[in-house]
Amino acid sequence: MAIALGWQVTEAGQSYEIDVSAFMLGADGKIPNDKYFIFYNNLQSCDGSVLQSIYDKNNRGQENKTIYGVILEKINPEIEEVTFAATIHEAQKINANFSNIKNAFIKISNLDTKSELVRYELKENFSRETAVEFGRLYRKNGEWRFQAVGEGYQAGLQSLVDKYSSGNSNNIAPISRELTAGTAADDLQLPAWELEVDSEPEAEQSRQTRRVQPSRLNNQVNNSRSRKIPAALLASLGVLMLGTGAGMSAVMRSGNETLKQAKILAVETQNAGKVTDVNLLRSFDRRLKETIANLEKIPNFPGFGYQQARADLLQLRPNLVPVAQNLQAAESLEKAQQLAMEAAVVVQKPPHPMEVWHQSQSKWQQAIALLEAIDSRTPVYNLAQNKLSNYRANRAAIGQRVAIAQKAATFSNQGSLKVQKGDVPGAIANFTQALALNPNIPQAYLGLGIATSKQGNKQQAIYNYDRALQFNPNLAEAYFGRGQAYYELG
């Protein structure tokens, strides 16, 4: 359906700039987030259910009109009410109010039949007000209803922003209330799927005292008034139908591009199941998600290709899961190859300390785990299996190196204990065994230096201390032992 807010301005109000806004409210009477505030800087709700036309500010002096396209079935279930209002921009600065706005109305039409369902005219003069709530949609007993409101406020758009997005809602009350129906609600005979229309307010006290929380809307309203937003609907000034102005043309062009992209993707999906290149899969996954998101935003209005969009969604959505699986498998293969390269590089030019062999062993294990987890239904599975045997062989080879390094460390530790016990020959034998298995153990050379120094062979001790410092320049004990040997040599 379409909801139109219209008005005329007197000669004194020719300079007025009228803004129309819609507030989509939750059960607590507040806006869940900024995207549910539909105004000149946000012409479409985040759920795609409410779209605002572009206001024609060059149409002053005639009937001005802003139209909202509303798709009830798309409204987020958390939204309980949609309130429509008009405000005067910078009213205090130009000393303006709604007394120069006449013949204001709000009406609802069926977009399918182009028939007017109901029209309410606001008769109040509104001599002090700079913001007026025209009407609201609200849920009752699981059905949508409409209520004319006619409440006026003095602080312009900011008063409504404060009312529905700040903690001061208790202090924001209308200074006038007027309600006149151009068509009596009792006379309306609406089809079952249409709206129920209430002509009298319900639960006024609860509406005036609702608590709402602060948000960024104040800054959004105060700091920006850009109207160059393509996602909009442009209404004609005659019969209540969506026209073909610049705003709508931009939306239709965007929709057409989305439909073209959907056709391209429909063809590409036939080969997507065979792609193994991770960059191609990332690009395809991104384009697929973006196109589906854009198709979901195409409104159910004439000329927008809504039915084709629905058909394309049925064709493209089933591809989301297999494409994501293929991408995950390709990324796992890519990560495994990266880990394998790091594992190989870290052990170049041995010998190495045991922690280096452990580091390489851990990387090989991670790479193997990634390959083993790749789904057999994905196109990279065979590539992963080919690499898996090589990776396992490399892990086994590194495991042997780790075992040897561990054995060498055991001999070195035994030698250190024997030095402490005074078994110098036994210590030298253990250190020699350790270095035969892994000639890159600074602690073994340190132990040899201490042991040979105790035997009186100061030159051999200095050589061993030098070797220890070659592998670990920060070994303080080796500097101390070497200095002591030099001192004893004079």
Side-chain angles (χ1 to χ4, degrees), residues 1 48-51 69-75 298-301:
M1 64 180 181
S49 64
V50 179
L51 302 91
V70 180
I71 307 171
L72 292 176
E73 63 183 14
K74 293 187 68 175
I75 295 180
I298 292 179
N300 187 11
F301 296 135

Side-chain angles (χ1 to χ4, degrees), residues 10-26:
T10 65
E11 184 175 352
Q14 292 297 303
S15 62
Y16 293 5
E17 188 171 3
I18 309 297
D19 296 320
V20 176
S21 308
F23 297 84
M24 302 179 69
L25 312 175

Side-chain angles (χ1 to χ4, degrees), residues 44 47-48 71 74 254-266 287-300 304-320:
Q44 179 173 335
D47 59 9
I71 307 171
K74 293 187 68 175
S254 176
N256 289 335
E257 288 300 320
T258 298
L259 294 175
K260 290 179 183 178
Q261 182 65 23
K263 291 181 179 179
I264 295 173
L265 288 173
R287 289 163 52 214
L288 180 64
K289 290 177 180 177
E290 288 177 354
T291 300
I292 288 176
N294 290 333
L295 286 171
E296 291 173 340
K297 295 178 182 178
I298 292 179
N300 187 11
F304 279 81
Y306 177 79
Q307 296 301 328
Q308 182 60 49
R310 297 294 103 182
D312 290 341
L313 284 171
L314 289 175
Q315 185 176 9
L316 294 180
R317 277 176 178 151
N319 294 292
L320 283 171

Side-chain angles (χ1 to χ4, degrees), residues 127-347:
S127 59
R128 294 179 295 161
E129 293 78 359
T130 57
V132 176
E133 290 186 356
F134 280 44
R136 66 182 183 118
L137 289 170
Y138 67 99
R139 295 184 197 263
K140 181 178 180 182
N141 299 328
E143 297 179 339
W144 282 101
R145 300 190 179 197
F146 180 81
Q147 178 187 48
V149 178
E151 293 182 349
Y153 299 80
Q154 268 190 308
L157 179 57
Q158 192 63 51
S159 63
L160 300 179
V161 170
D162 291 341
K163 177 180 179 180
Y164 294 124
S165 67
S166 76
N168 300 319
S169 60
N170 291 337
N171 300 324
I172 307 298
I175 62 172
S176 62
R177 185 178 292 114
E178 179 272 340
L179 182 64
T180 301
T183 304
D186 295 339
D187 296 336
L188 290 176
Q189 296 180 354
L190 303 179
W193 61 270
E194 298 290 3
L195 297 172
E196 293 188 33
V197 182
D198 292 346
S199 59
E200 294 299 328
E202 292 184 359
E204 280 296 325
Q205 183 63 29
S206 64
R207 291 188 67 228
Q208 294 181 28
T209 59
R210 284 182 290 208
R211 295 176 61 85
V212 291
Q213 300 299 321
S215 79
R216 297 170 294 174
L217 291 180
N218 292 308
N219 292 334
Q220 193 175 359
V221 170
N222 292 334
N223 297 338
S224 174
R225 292 190 56 80
S226 172
R227 298 179 182 273
K228 298 179 180 179
I229 302 177
L233 299 176
L234 185 63
S236 64
L237 297 177
V239 180
L240 184 58
M241 297 174 61
L242 297 178
T244 57
M248 169 178 279
S249 298
V251 176
M252 294 180 70
R253 285 196 301 272
S254 176
N256 289 335
E257 288 300 320
T258 298
L259 294 175
K260 290 179 183 178
Q261 182 65 23
K263 291 181 179 179
I264 295 173
L265 288 173
V267 175
E268 291 183 2
T269 51
Q270 300 175 7
N271 298 320
K274 302 176 183 179
V275 176
T276 59
D277 183 270
V278 67
N279 291 321
L280 291 178
L281 283 169
R282 284 173 181 152
S283 174
F284 185 80
D285 179 69
R286 175 183 54 78
R287 289 163 52 214
L288 180 64
K289 290 177 180 177
E290 288 177 354
T291 300
I292 288 176
N294 290 333
L295 286 171
E296 291 173 340
K297 295 178 182 178
I298 292 179
N300 187 11
F301 296 135
F304 279 81
Y306 177 79
Q307 296 301 328
Q308 182 60 49
R310 297 294 103 182
D312 290 341
L313 284 171
L314 289 175
Q315 185 176 9
L316 294 180
R317 277 176 178 151
N319 294 292
L320 283 171
V321 173
V323 169
Q325 290 174 340
N326 289 351
L327 176 58
Q328 182 180 11
E331 288 179 336
S332 294
L333 177 61
E334 181 184 53
K335 180 61 176 176
Q337 290 174 317
Q338 179 182 349
L339 286 167
M341 178 65 70
E342 294 172 358
V345 169
V346 75
V347 293

